[in-house]
Amino acid sequence: MPLPKAELHLHIEGTLEPELAFALAGRNGIVLPYADAEELRHKYRFKDLQSFLDLYYELMAVLRTEEDFTDLAEAYLAHAAAQGVRHAEIFFDPQAHRARGVPMGTVVAGLARALDRAPERHGVTTRLIMCFLRDESAESASETLAAAAPYLRHITGVGLDSAEVGHPPSKFREVYEEAARLGLRRVAHAGEEGPPAYVREALDVLGVERIDHGLRSMEDPELVARLVRDRVPLTVCPLSNVRLRTVDVLSDHPLRTMLEAGLMATVNSDDPAYFGGYAEDNVRAVADALRLTEEQLRELARNSFLASFLDDDEDLRSAYLAEVDAYVF
Ligand code: ADE
Ligand code: ZN
């Protein structure tokens, strides 16, 4: 059994395996421009974030009904449970679905059906985080938050994703202020391809509690000192960083340096269907490449629960931490 862990950086649309994409396409009468799942998988070679996003948005065309979103989440939860995930905080991209005529209610109801039964079926607790697409306008983000009003009981927080460079966090100041007023938790992708200044803006302007990726913070020692002092969690995604070429090879990944600097890093899978592995696959790969110690692996697992939004259920957090402490390698 793998080390128990929380997954805090996971795009549900990025869990769409080629086989499921073809099954959903068939069910919905959509013809994909690929012969089969194998041919599609061969397209999973990316030169940067944008080249991945192009395929990621294209394949979303197969997600149309509530049932599609339930099946997608169900498949992820089964994978996650097998990899030791006990708690998952799951991103979704409603603007990408609304643009195709799939309403917010369809997406949330479909996901919620799988998430609500996940503790019983898979032994996994969950939270849902709605992301704004940063390459869309600030007005579109505000409209999206307004459209989510009837569904906020299912939604714990907001995030910010998609093409980073040229779309600084400050563009979304107002919608994050509104999210805070609504009692939503706040996270944002920053420092994946964008500069350390975007990490500072996410903290100072958006008031985020966690940084997704945050890798390029390592270029700015003062920022690192601040992140260490304030115990700001970074949701690091090692296989994603290599596949999207922000890191050349896994053995060059800064995760070990980050832990040694005292940063509160966690390991996550980002878009596992596209990047070659789920949560434990990421842990194993980066642990082997960087020769992480058992104590560092335990620290990563502890961090994942400490950084989670389980605050409304402290007993559960304590129980998960006790499982990590009792784990025998
Ligand atoms: N959307 C899905 N995966 C993403 C990533 N790694 N960065 C930005 N946006 C994303
Ligand atoms: Zn991401």
Side-chain angles (χ1 to χ4, degrees):
M1 182 63 188
L3 189 59
K5 61 182 82 60
E7 171 138 83
L8 306 178
H9 184 158
L10 181 281
H11 302 264
I12 198 66
E13 297 89 348
T15 69
L16 180 62
E17 294 284 349
E19 293 75 15
L20 183 58
F22 270 89
L24 297 182
R27 193 156 92 185
N28 291 324
I30 293 165
V31 179
L32 289 172
Y34 310 98
D36 54 25
E38 197 170 333
E39 185 187 316
L40 176 53
R41 209 178 275 283
H42 276 107
K43 304 281 171 200
Y44 289 11
R45 294 200 184 133
F46 309 112
K47 68 175 172 39
D48 55 15
L49 174 58
Q50 189 60 57
S51 64
F52 152 69
L53 289 170
D54 291 344
L55 187 63
Y56 169 84
Y57 292 125
E58 179 192 322
L59 287 185
M60 279 184 205
V62 305
L63 297 164
R64 300 220 60 93
T65 66
E66 243 181 72
E67 192 189 3
D68 297 340
F69 286 93
T70 304
D71 291 352
L72 179 69
E74 180 63 31
Y76 163 66
L77 290 161
H79 271 120
Q83 299 230 339
V85 173
R86 306 298 317 279
H87 177 73
E89 303 198 345
I90 297 175
F91 295 141
F92 70 110
D93 284 333
Q95 283 156 295
H97 306 305
R98 288 184 87 208
R100 301 181 293 107
V102 180
M104 177 78 76
T106 300
V107 181
V108 175
L111 295 176
R113 186 174 312 143
L115 270 44
D116 288 349
R117 66 195 185 199
E120 248 176 81
R121 263 200 200 190
H122 300 290
V124 179
T125 53
T126 62
R127 298 286 185 275
L128 207 48
I129 298 178
M130 180 175 84
C131 285
F132 305 119
L133 302 182
R134 66 199 309 155
D135 45 356
E136 298 288 333
S137 68
E139 293 70 33
S140 172
S142 293
E143 283 163 24
T144 305
L145 183 57
Y151 312 105
L152 289 182
R153 70 182 184 286
H154 295 294
I155 298 173
T156 295
V158 295
L160 188 63
D161 65 2
S162 201
E164 185 181 9
V165 174
H167 301 286
S170 52
K171 180 175 161 188
F172 297 95
R173 176 198 295 267
E174 281 175 19
V175 72
Y176 270 69
E177 280 171 3
E178 179 60 15
R181 271 194 292 277
L182 292 168
L184 292 163
R185 312 298 294 263
R186 288 164 289 169
V187 301
H189 284 52
E192 181 184 20
E193 286 189 344
Y198 283 19
V199 177
R200 290 177 188 278
E201 267 190 24
L203 296 168
D204 294 335
V205 180
L206 304 185
V208 302
E209 298 171 69
R210 297 195 298 245
I211 296 286
D212 295 313
H213 293 295
L215 231 57
R216 289 196 57 197
S217 307
M218 298 307 283
E219 297 167 22
D220 182 338
E222 263 180 44
L223 176 59
V224 170
R226 173 183 178 181
L227 295 169
V228 170
R229 186 194 65 220
D230 295 346
R231 305 273 295 150
V232 178
L234 304 179
T235 62
V236 178
C237 307
L239 291 175
S240 164
N241 299 146
V242 173
R243 289 295 189 98
L244 300 185
R245 315 244 190 127
T246 49
V247 173
D248 284 340
V249 286
L250 215 45
S251 53
D252 287 346
H253 198 283
L255 181 65
R256 187 180 181 120
T257 314
M258 294 169 93
L259 290 173
E260 287 168 358
L263 285 164
M264 193 179 191
T266 66
V267 169
N268 307 271
S269 67
D270 205 4
D271 301 283
Y274 293 89
F275 300 150
Y278 287 78
E280 178 68 9
D281 301 323
N282 271 267
V283 171
R284 286 265 56 91
V286 78
D288 289 349
L290 302 179
R291 303 216 177 101
L292 298 183
T293 65
E294 289 179 356
E295 279 326 295
Q296 284 173 319
L297 295 178
R298 202 184 300 276
E299 181 185 347
L300 286 165
R302 284 186 62 84
N303 287 350
S304 72
F305 292 114
L306 291 170
S308 75
F309 292 147
L310 279 167
D311 306 28
D312 49 351
D313 200 339
E314 283 300 333
D315 289 346
L316 201 49
R317 192 203 306 273
S318 303
Y320 286 145
L321 286 168
E323 280 186 50
V324 174
D325 292 342
Y327 185 81
V328 180
F329 282 93

